[in-house]
Amino acid sequence: MSAPRLHCLMVLSSAVEGVSAQSYIQAYTLASSNFSIQLASPHGKNVEYVQQDDNNRRWFNEFRSKASSNPIAFETVDSARYSALLIPSSPGAVHDLASNTELSQIVNHFIREKKPICAIGSGVAALCCVMSPDGKSWGFKTYSMTGPSVFELARTQEFSSLPVIVEDFIKDHGGQYNNSEMDAVHVIIDRHLITGQNAHSTLMAVQNLTLMCAQNKHAVSGSRDMR
Ligand SMILES: *[C@@H]1O[C@H](CO)[C@@H](O)[C@H](O)[C@H]1NC(C)=O
Ligand SMILES: *[C@@H]1O[C@H](CO)[C@@H](O)[C@H](O)[C@H]1NC(C)=O
Ligand SMILES: *[C@@H]1O[C@H](CO)[C@@H](O)[C@H](O)[C@H]1NC(C)=O
């Protein structure tokens, strides 16, 4: 028999701006070959997968017929169960995840335990919610990371109404931000944090996540339960 699969928590926005359909399919498909996946969203609300096309609409129709496509609420997540956290590119993240206090608690568990976290493109905005346990600084202060550049965001219609500009937030809160050209595949790994600049970086980011988990002895002994 093969070893039991590690559990991966996939964090999704339920804002109307949604989760990128393409990034989601790539992240989910790749991750589900190595992990058993649990979806979670604010209050377990429904997720909008945006920018669907004729090809992936069929994929979503099938996906939605499975019970596992229903997210659970952040409040009910038992973080100790999961070896990895994955946030796909999500235009909605900046609206309902970037200041979510329940999500902050979940991510703090992953930081404390140094468990792999992978955030991609506009999904990197979700990391903005994380306050250090003393509430005085940002949880990812001193981390090197990437995320959507101001140039990439400036092309979108909602640019002027974005509550948070990821690049500015990271720089203003003590993180090390770096990016590549617009739409380039670009992934930065710092300790247990993997970030991808944009939706095009999804595959490379998730590949790194699976590799990191395979190497991570802490994650494999998933019974290191701190409750
Ligand atoms: C992920 O799953 C694929 C397909 O099951 C397998 O070939 C690959 O070795 C796994 N990768 C890791 C890092 O465990
Ligand atoms: C971004 O990374 C490149 C390559 O490592 C480096 O040359 C550049 O100075 C970095 N830029 C910033 C702003 O840190
Ligand atoms: C992991 O990310 C690095 C960039 O940080 C990249 O060079 C490497 O190819 C990635 N690994 C995989 C398996 O995608």
Side-chain angles (χ1 to χ4, degrees):
M1 277 208 31
S2 55
R5 280 145 73 88
L6 299 176
H7 294 271
C8 174
L9 183 68
M10 208 162 167
V11 165
L12 303 175
S13 164
S14 58
V16 289
E17 292 79 3
V19 171
S20 152
Q22 198 55 43
S23 178
Y24 181 79
I25 293 181
Q26 287 187 344
Y28 185 91
T29 308
L30 183 57
S32 59
S33 66
N34 297 87
F35 300 100
S36 131
I37 295 182
Q38 174 66 60
L39 307 181
S41 71
H43 308 298
K45 280 195 292 192
N46 245 328
V47 175
E48 201 73 57
Y49 297 99
V50 297
Q51 289 144 12
Q52 290 189 28
D53 58 28
D54 289 342
N55 290 324
N56 58 36
R57 199 164 288 126
R58 244 177 287 137
W59 190 92
F60 280 104
N61 284 342
E62 193 178 319
F63 174 69
R64 292 238 193 230
S65 68
K66 298 178 196 158
S68 59
S69 71
N70 294 319
I72 60 173
F74 292 153
E75 292 86 339
T76 64
V77 168
D78 173 10
S79 302
R81 228 176 108 74
Y82 301 98
S83 305
L85 183 72
L86 173 56
I87 311 171
S89 194
S90 322
V94 73
H95 298 285
D96 68 342
L97 301 181
S99 55
N100 190 298
T101 50
E102 283 84 24
L103 180 58
S104 174
Q105 287 183 20
I106 294 171
V107 180
N108 261 314
H109 166 91
F110 279 79
I111 295 176
R112 203 165 55 237
E113 300 285 311
K114 300 184 172 57
K115 293 198 274 198
I117 298 170
C118 176
I120 300 160
S122 47
V124 175
L127 304 181
C128 298
C129 73
V130 186
M131 289 306 293
S132 65
D134 64 8
K136 291 202 182 116
S137 58
W138 185 41
F140 290 98
K141 195 177 154 180
T142 78
Y143 280 76
S144 295
M145 64 185 84
T146 185
S149 64
V150 170
F151 290 127
E152 281 170 316
L153 291 175
R155 291 180 304 187
T156 63
Q157 286 199 332
E158 54 163 9
F159 181 60
S160 56
S161 59
L162 287 177
V164 175
I165 306 289
V166 170
E167 176 175 345
D168 294 343
F169 183 97
I170 293 170
K171 291 173 176 167
D172 291 348
H173 291 79
Q176 304 283 324
Y177 177 85
N178 204 332
N179 63 1
S180 182
E181 293 168 8
M182 285 206 268
D183 300 327
V185 173
H186 185 61
V187 170
I188 293 184
I189 302 166
D190 183 4
R191 291 161 268 178
H192 58 110
L193 177 67
I194 301 163
T195 47
Q197 182 176 327
N198 45 42
H200 303 289
S201 310
T202 302
L203 276 183
M204 192 182 278
V206 179
Q207 278 169 0
N208 268 288
L209 179 68
T210 58
L211 287 177
M212 192 183 277
C213 287
Q215 290 165 353
N216 192 338
K217 290 212 179 75
H218 288 304
V220 174
S221 64
S223 54
R224 234 162 55 90
D225 215 324
M226 306 292 283
R227 278 167 306 174

